Amino acid sequence: MTPDINPISKPDFMPVEELRAMQLAKLQKLIPYEYERVPLFRRRCDEKGVKPRDLVTLKDLAKFPFMKKTDLRDEYPYGLTAAPMREINRFHCSSGTTGKPICIPQTKNDVKIWTDGVARCMAMYGITADDVVQVSYGYGLFTGGLGAHYGAEELGCAVLPTGAGNTEKQIMLMKDLGVTAICCTPSYFLHLATVAEQLGVDFRRDTKLKHGVFGAEPWTDEIRAKIEAISGITAHDIYGLTEIAGPGVAGNCEFCHGMHVWEDHFYPEIIDPDTLEVLPDGEEGELVFTTLDRVGTPMVRYRTRDLSRLQVEQCKCGRTMRVMDRVHARTDDMLIIHGVNVFPSQIEACLMKVPEIAPHYMIELSSTETMDLFELKVEVTAETFSDSVAAMETIRKRVAASIKEIVGLSPKIYLVAPGTLPRSQGKIKRVIDNRRK
Ligand code: ADP
Ligand code: ZN
């Protein structure tokens, strides 16, 4: 079934054989280009004894070396840049593993490819030129703001570039200008919703908001359901990373539980993070991307550290581009507490099962001489918050039971008053790990 599609979405439905042939042709151009222009890549290929001409089929990509965030740090700022400065048009930066950021110079066409990814996500969500799109992602070095901005403009939308922060003004503009779609992190939207409530603004009654384009951080199905319930909008997932483009590498359609990857631009692989072997579709592992079109800072087999899976089943929407699972964890975000592996998203899912709990929490880890201490601060909703010790204790026990059941741990839980935990205008930090390293 091919829905009534926006012309911008046409590549999404490309026949699979055509897509694979296109990917191979692009890789056969990219690998020699990278080998010729990026000394680190050439050195690694030589060490492995692999030559660009060894790429004969798509499977042969597995013979080539990986790139990692530490490579971007070590080669900072221009070591991985493959195009001359004359062709560079834009810089974006993201956090590195140490003090220096990682830096991605891009050409005009690189930005165009990225824009195409965002615009195709938005078209897939049902956003059109009739929409008024508020971009509340941060602008600047972070890819969220400009990425969403360019994508929405490409679709012909009316774009309101509020950027992050100044929440009350954002709500006023949203109302007054008839904003129909908002782009921001899911945690910032929750903050917006709280402020709107304090101002007496009801999204359903007082705004025309229909779509939320949420990404840049992991968020659970439970948070998604909560967002949709409090605001009446449809919450769409958008995935990406600065090293590969920015947001718009993948997004969800109305059918898939996951996100279609724009494979004509970004070639995905899933590897076992320990053995580094490529895993077949259907198996979970670390997501690896190769940029098929980028010439400013091409990435060959970039290890994202994000855990996902490429689904085997074809999506009902008719798009041929593979669906990756939503990202809930990174290979480097797993906590081990009392010997148990814990992902913050699991804790979040437990909390959201208790209706009296607001979606704001903080995991704090510390240690004594002999053991780890696991503390959890959780906000209760404004309606529930009271001075009654007995009432609060009942809720606290329900939270404890939920965590015990799913995670198997018994953290020390503190219920705190609404609005007391830190809020973020960008990515939220929900884990403070002060344990001995
Ligand atoms: P972005 O601007 O897209 O956040 P960054 O380079 O700052 O790009 O961060 C990229 C990382 O953010 C990803 O590797 C992933 O861990 C996380 N991320 C981005 N989008 C999503 C999403 N929709 N769901 C889960 N995690 C996401
Ligand atoms: Zn689909």
Side-chain angles (χ1 to χ4, degrees):
M1 173 188 59
T2 305
D4 182 18
I5 59 162
N6 185 315
I8 216 164
S9 304
K10 211 164 155 251
D12 308 7
F13 298 89
M14 183 185 299
V16 177
E17 314 74 64
E18 203 179 300
L19 175 62
R20 299 286 168 250
M22 175 199 256
Q23 289 169 327
L24 180 62
K26 287 185 176 184
L27 280 171
Q28 285 175 332
K29 241 174 96 181
L30 168 83
I31 298 283
Y33 175 86
E34 184 80 350
Y35 187 86
E36 208 172 284
R37 297 181 181 223
V38 177
L40 178 80
F41 182 70
R42 187 166 54 242
R43 210 165 52 237
R44 293 230 173 112
C45 287
D46 292 348
E47 277 162 20
K48 276 184 117 204
V50 59
K51 291 269 175 278
R53 63 167 179 275
D54 294 334
L55 192 106
V56 179
T57 68
L58 283 175
K59 276 210 161 73
D60 295 327
L61 183 60
K63 297 176 181 162
F64 288 84
F66 293 105
M67 284 174 158
K68 296 197 298 259
K69 212 181 198 47
T70 46
D71 296 331
L72 283 150
R73 178 197 66 195
D74 298 343
E75 298 293 316
Y76 175 85
Y78 291 129
L80 299 179
T81 309
M85 196 50 67
R86 188 180 345 111
E87 289 171 27
I88 298 299
N89 207 236
R90 178 90 73 79
F91 294 100
H92 278 286
C93 295
S94 177
S95 51
T97 50
T98 56
K100 291 255 196 241
I102 59 122
C103 179
I104 305 284
Q106 305 184 45
T107 65
K108 201 166 196 165
N109 195 57
D110 295 343
V111 175
K112 216 163 145 245
I113 297 296
W114 169 27
T115 299
D116 181 63
V118 183
R120 277 160 61 187
C121 282
M122 290 186 176
M124 180 165 60
Y125 305 148
I127 295 172
T128 68
D130 293 324
D131 279 290
V132 180
V133 180
Q134 179 167 350
V135 179
S136 309
Y137 282 116
Y139 280 70
L141 294 174
F142 172 60
T143 50
L146 284 163
H149 186 113
Y150 271 54
E153 265 193 2
E154 177 72 16
L155 261 188
C157 307
V159 184
L160 178 64
T162 49
N166 211 342
T167 307
E168 292 196 12
K169 186 169 169 194
Q170 300 233 16
I171 293 166
M172 180 185 77
L173 290 171
M174 181 192 290
K175 266 175 58 180
D176 296 348
L177 276 71
V179 168
T180 53
I182 185 163
C183 309
C184 61
T185 58
S187 56
Y188 186 61
F189 186 78
L190 287 167
H191 178 56
L192 260 174
T194 310
V195 176
E197 202 185 338
Q198 284 160 1
L199 296 173
V201 173
D202 178 329
F203 283 119
R204 286 186 179 79
R205 186 192 59 209
D206 305 320
T207 77
K208 293 191 175 151
L209 202 60
K210 284 194 307 235
H211 302 280
V213 179
F214 301 130
E217 65 189 9
W219 51 306
T220 56
D221 292 340
E222 286 78 4
I223 287 283
R224 183 182 220 156
K226 185 141 205 147
I227 287 176
E228 294 187 341
I230 58 178
S231 64
I233 66 169
T234 306
H236 311 281
D237 200 358
I238 191 162
Y239 168 89
L241 59 163
T242 310
E243 293 88 331
I244 297 304
V249 170
N252 70 275
C253 74
E254 62 180 305
F255 298 106
C256 65
H257 188 74
M259 291 173 277
H260 286 284
V261 180
W262 302 138
E263 288 192 66
D264 49 334
H265 299 318
F266 315 109
Y267 187 78
E269 294 171 279
I270 295 285
I271 61 160
D272 179 321
D274 300 320
T275 65
L276 307 183
E277 292 299 317
V278 176
L279 297 174
D281 286 1
E283 286 190 30
E284 194 187 61
E286 183 180 333
L287 196 50
V288 169
F289 279 109
T290 298
T291 58
L292 294 177
D293 297 295
R294 202 156 69 178
V295 297
T297 316
M299 285 286 146
V300 177
R301 308 194 80 204
Y302 182 74
R303 291 186 58 183
T304 64
R305 296 277 172 193
D306 289 323
L307 284 176
S308 186
R309 191 175 63 107
L310 290 168
Q311 299 178 7
V312 179
E313 313 77 39
Q314 236 228 286
C315 186
K316 272 200 274 182
C317 71
R319 287 182 177 79
T320 48
M321 309 265 154
R322 278 176 288 178
V323 175
M324 61 180 253
D325 280 359
R326 297 187 71 201
V327 173
H328 292 303
R330 293 170 57 82
T331 53
D332 53 4
D333 116 345
M334 189 177 75
L335 303 162
I336 302 179
I337 310 170
H338 300 155
V340 180
N341 295 350
V342 184
F343 291 110
S345 55
Q346 288 177 293
I347 302 281
E348 186 176 280
C350 297
L351 297 177
M352 290 302 103
K353 288 192 192 314
V354 182
E356 291 88 352
I357 296 301
H360 301 289
Y361 64 94
M362 184 72 82
I363 295 169
E364 293 187 13
L365 301 167
S366 57
S367 48
T368 65
E369 283 285 288
T370 51
M371 62 183 279
D372 288 345
L373 300 177
F374 175 15
E375 298 185 349
L376 189 60
K377 290 187 180 143
V378 189
E379 276 187 24
V380 293
T381 60
E383 298 81 1
T384 320
F385 188 64
S386 83
D387 291 336
S388 159
V389 175
M392 290 298 108
E393 182 56 16
T394 309
I395 299 170
R396 199 193 61 75
K397 282 191 175 144
R398 298 234 313 272
V399 171
S402 174
I403 291 172
K404 178 81 194 160
E405 186 192 330
I406 295 171
V407 184
L409 291 174
S410 304
K412 198 162 168 45
I413 296 164
Y414 299 94
L415 298 187
V416 300
T420 50
L421 291 178
R423 299 292 197 264
S424 87
Q425 287 168 1
K427 282 187 199 246
I428 190 120
K429 187 167 166 46
R430 289 192 167 117
V431 180
I432 298 176
D433 195 346
N434 285 330
R435 293 177 295 181
R436 62 189 117 54
K437 293 282 182 271

